[in-house]
Amino acid sequence: NMLDHVTGSGTGVLGDTKQFETTLQSGKYVLSDKTRGKGIETYSANNRTTLPGTLLSDSDNYWTDGAAVDAHAYAQRTYDYYRDVHNRNSYDGNGALIRSTVHYSTRYNNAFWNGYQMVYGDGDGSTFLPLSGGLDVVAHELTHAVTEKTAGLIYQNESGALNESISDIFGAMIDDDDWLMGEDIYTPGTNGDGLRSLEDPSEYGDPDHYSKRYTGSQDNGGVHINSGINNKAAYLLAEGGTHYGVNVNGIGREDTAKIYYHALTHYLTPYSNFSAMRRAAIQSATDLFGASSKQVKSVQAAYDAVGVK
Ligand code: ASN
Ligand code: ZN
Ligand code: CA
């Protein structure tokens, strides 16, 4: 029932104070939000690898485990984004329980969606801080669940790169003050860097044009590499610019997000490649804004600019 819902507060990975929903259950507070869909729950693996681990609890509802606070608060923010902007109730569209586990393994420098839940390492403290401290990271991981339940893009080669790119695009839409991924939790000793850039993928060695795509077998056929091609197209669509001599008029983040969400949920399929992504985005812009809209023209120009026909 809703009567045991309580607003908790605490400090995140970066020391910032925030509020989030918790539940009072048998005399203690638990990191369980029963106000969104079928719930949002946050667990600790206590530096082991058994999942989901133990549901986090606290005696006074002031939470000092930064990794847990951020995993919980940022899952709530991502849920709210999909609900408020795309009218989607959780990752399956039917209120699915969103479960996260923090403190996975020891000094673990990654985060992932395992098909059932999100999982976050603490990082080693120099390469990474606890990974849930990045809103874009949390949004990226939860978007893998949305993709799995919708287009089902297979996680290798071009469909896998599109799967990764969709996660980066919505990561950047939800954590919307830059076009970098992971900047808040990556290399705490270095300012201004991140894991990937949608604005300029080449800054991190990733391709910004189809002619530069990786065709080897590492990284499931370059899923975190070739994502740069579609990331650059999405960036150009939102912000505009001239790339390899092709000019794109930016249409803004909002319309860009609408187009990619519509493409993901109506047109992309498990084996979609980059060319199918272009067609899906053009058809989505047509559905949403009309065949002769500026949005359709910009989608065409953005994919021309990255060499995808
Ligand atoms: N953090 C990575 C990702 O979400 C984990 C993975 O390789 N799947 O893409
Ligand atoms: Zn990913
Ligand atoms: Ca970011």
Side-chain angles (χ1 to χ4, degrees), residues 140-141 144 155 164 167 224:
H140 175 109
E141 300 310 338
H144 277 308
Y155 205 62
E164 268 305 307
S167 276
H224 297 89

Side-chain angles (χ1 to χ4, degrees), residues 17 30 55 65 78 98 116 124 147 167 185 275 282-283 285:
T17 301
V30 289
L55 182 65
D65 179 340
T78 303
I98 296 170
Y116 303 95
D124 61 16
T147 296
S167 276
I185 44 87
S275 177
I282 291 170
Q283 188 58 53

Side-chain angles (χ1 to χ4, degrees), residues 27-88:
K28 66 184 186 182
Y29 299 92
V30 289
L31 221 37
S32 168
D33 169 7
K34 299 185 181 185
T35 71
R36 290 171 172 88
K38 294 171 188 165
I40 297 180
E41 296 178 344
T42 303
Y43 291 70
S44 176
N46 299 299
N47 299 114
R48 301 187 67 92
T49 56
T50 303
L51 294 174
T54 54
L55 182 65
L56 283 156
S57 66
D58 186 79
S59 58
D60 64 1
N61 216 19
Y62 186 82
W63 300 75
T64 55
D65 179 340
V69 163
D70 281 344
H72 198 65
Y74 292 163
Q76 293 177 342
R77 294 225 346 223
T78 303
Y79 174 95
D80 290 352
Y81 170 82
Y82 277 108
R83 181 196 59 201
D84 298 345
V85 177
H86 302 295
N87 196 30
R88 186 179 189 82

Side-chain angles (χ1 to χ4, degrees), residues 34-303:
K34 299 185 181 185
T35 71
R36 290 171 172 88
K38 294 171 188 165
I40 297 180
E41 296 178 344
T42 303
Y43 291 70
S44 176
N46 299 299
N47 299 114
R48 301 187 67 92
T49 56
T50 303
L51 294 174
T54 54
L55 182 65
L56 283 156
S57 66
D58 186 79
S59 58
D60 64 1
N61 216 19
Y62 186 82
W63 300 75
T64 55
D65 179 340
V69 163
D70 281 344
H72 198 65
Y74 292 163
Q76 293 177 342
R77 294 225 346 223
T78 303
Y79 174 95
D80 290 352
Y81 170 82
Y82 277 108
R83 181 196 59 201
D84 298 345
V85 177
H86 302 295
N87 196 30
R88 186 179 189 82
N89 181 8
S90 191
Y91 57 85
D92 69 345
N94 195 32
L97 177 68
I98 296 170
R99 200 171 261 176
S100 308
T101 296
V102 297
H103 306 307
Y104 177 78
S105 193
T106 51
R107 301 168 61 89
Y108 186 72
N109 283 326
N110 212 339
F112 56 95
W113 167 256
N114 74 353
Y116 303 95
Q117 65 161 103
M118 292 180 286
V119 184
Y120 300 97
D122 290 329
D124 61 16
S126 53
T127 318
F128 281 101
L129 293 173
L131 280 90
S132 57
L135 174 58
D136 50 10
V137 172
V138 170
H140 175 109
E141 300 310 338
L142 195 46
T143 299
H144 277 308
V146 176
T147 296
E148 183 185 295
K149 297 291 187 189
T150 56
L153 291 160
I154 304 281
Y155 205 62
Q156 61 176 342
N157 301 334
E158 289 196 16
S159 58
L162 291 173
N163 186 319
E164 268 305 307
S165 175
I166 292 291
S167 276
D168 281 353
I169 290 167
F170 287 104
M173 294 299 177
I174 295 167
D175 185 25
D176 63 0
D177 48 4
D178 58 60
W179 289 95
L180 280 176
M181 278 298 305
E183 67 285 348
D184 292 333
I185 44 87
Y186 185 63
T187 57
T190 308
N191 275 337
D193 64 341
L195 287 169
R196 290 181 290 281
S197 169
L198 289 83
E199 178 172 0
D200 182 9
S202 72
E203 222 176 297
Y204 298 97
D206 300 325
D208 60 5
H209 193 275
Y210 192 67
S211 64
K212 299 186 171 182
R213 70 192 178 279
Y214 171 75
T215 57
S217 61
Q218 289 172 36
D219 184 31
N220 295 111
V223 298
H224 297 89
I225 301 168
N226 292 332
S227 51
I229 297 162
N230 198 60
N231 283 350
K232 180 77 193 196
Y235 167 80
L236 286 167
L237 181 58
E239 302 285 357
T242 302
H243 187 53
Y244 294 107
V246 179
N247 181 68
V248 185
N249 292 319
I251 64 169
R253 283 174 179 265
E254 275 194 29
D255 287 354
T256 299
K258 286 192 165 67
I259 289 167
Y260 281 101
Y261 183 76
H262 193 82
L264 182 70
T265 53
H266 290 83
Y267 295 114
L268 294 174
T269 62
Y271 290 95
S272 291
N273 60 13
F274 281 98
S275 177
M277 176 73 252
R278 176 192 170 110
R279 276 182 269 115
I282 291 170
Q283 188 58 53
S284 296
T286 302
D287 294 352
L288 295 167
F289 304 107
S292 49
S293 61
K294 65 174 186 180
Q295 287 87 350
V296 167
K297 290 181 183 72
S298 288
V299 171
Q300 289 169 327
Y303 281 94

